[in-house]
Amino acid sequence: MIFDPMYFIFAIPGMLFAFWAQWYVKSTFSKYANVGNMHRMNGFDVAQRLMSAEGLNYVRVNQVAGQLTDFYNPADKSINLSQSSVTPSVAAMAVVAHELGHALQDREGYTMLRLRSSIVGIANIGSSIGTWLVMGGLMFGAASRSGGFGFTMALIGLALFAGAVLFTLVTLPVEFNASSRAKKMLIANGLVSPQDQAAVAKVLNAAAWTYVAAAAQSILTFAYFAFRVFGGRRD
């Protein structure tokens, strides 16, 4: 199955989309990482200002290694900022506000965030074990008339992998909503000029494409697996 031409027909569009999305977010971030924000506030300063204004003083602010590795951890109520997000730039300000957008979602019990958190385990299993079950099922003849055990194994794998697909789809509204909250917070607290607003929007929109690309890749992979499992069956 590694050399199956049909795999590349399904996979290449998603891979190209993902490569473009990664290039786009990195180039956009790099551009605005060199543009100072209106108040010359670094990422930590922006975090403290917004946390104080939004009643999020309980949120911990940590620094993590890497570039664009920022994330919000609902387990310990912390935002974790990468080295690229603690500079006094428009790009850093956008990322910090986005992560605090997740903190607001968590505090308010935002439905899609709760749903995403509830299926993360299933998604991890689906993207690993589910993949191997589908491949194993195909090796046992899932797509043939005599599939039997192989077909059952592949179906279980497909069902598990569907959990991973669902996770990427649920992630989209979570991330879009966090970005929307970020823009509103920055404007409401007077941290952005009109020029900064446009720049923040570009940074957050570029980041959104990476989540769209991830969803597209997972859907295309699921479509390929389904094609392989059901495509050759005639019974």
Side-chain angles (χ1 to χ4, degrees):
M1 189 170 69
I2 295 177
F3 300 104
D4 182 5
M6 289 304 300
Y7 171 76
F8 296 102
I9 291 175
F10 282 91
I12 288 178
M15 291 172 60
L16 292 177
F17 189 9
F19 288 145
W20 172 83
Q22 287 294 327
W23 167 82
Y24 186 44
V25 70
K26 287 180 180 179
S27 62
T28 302
F29 187 90
S30 295
K31 176 181 178 180
Y32 291 106
N34 294 313
V35 177
N37 57 60
M38 181 173 66
H39 297 293
R40 296 294 188 269
M41 299 172 66
N42 64 37
F44 293 122
D45 294 333
V46 172
Q48 292 301 325
R49 175 75 70 85
L50 293 179
M51 287 161 54
S52 177
E54 301 295 332
L56 294 170
N57 290 316
Y58 59 88
V59 174
R60 296 169 51 195
V61 182
N62 302 322
Q63 186 169 0
V64 294
Q67 305 291 315
L68 296 176
T69 52
D70 313 80
F71 66 95
Y72 171 70
N73 185 352
D76 64 2
K77 312 300 182 188
S78 68
I79 58 170
N80 300 270
L81 306 179
S82 67
Q83 297 169 355
S84 57
S85 299
V86 295
T87 61
S89 68
V90 172
M93 181 169 61
V95 171
V96 171
H98 176 87
E99 298 309 329
L100 285 174
H102 287 309
L104 285 176
Q105 292 174 336
D106 187 23
R107 185 181 69 186
E108 297 173 9
Y110 180 58
T111 301
M112 299 307 286
L113 180 66
R114 294 175 65 182
L115 176 59
R116 186 175 73 168
S117 298
S118 69
I119 64 175
V120 64
I122 297 174
N124 290 335
I125 293 173
S127 61
S128 55
I129 297 176
T131 299
W132 285 108
L133 286 175
V134 172
M135 295 174 65
L138 291 171
M139 290 178 63
F140 281 102
S144 68
R145 290 176 182 269
S146 58
F149 173 74
F151 183 63
T152 300
M153 180 188 296
L155 282 181
I156 295 173
L158 274 177
L160 290 174
F161 194 81
V165 176
L166 178 61
F167 181 83
T168 64
L169 294 176
V170 171
T171 292
L172 295 179
V174 172
E175 297 300 331
F176 293 156
N177 180 265
S179 290
S180 177
R181 291 170 185 262
K183 296 171 189 175
K184 292 177 181 177
M185 276 193 290
L186 291 172
I187 293 172
N189 289 282
L191 298 185
V192 286
S193 64
Q195 293 79 7
D196 287 351
Q197 289 181 40
V200 164
K202 290 179 180 179
V203 171
L204 295 177
N205 290 342
W209 281 110
T210 61
Y211 299 105
V212 175
Q217 278 191 298
S218 66
I219 290 170
L220 287 170
T221 301
F222 181 84
Y224 167 71
F225 285 155
F227 172 81
R228 283 294 312 238
V229 172
F230 297 108
R233 295 182 65 82
R234 298 293 181 268
D235 46 24

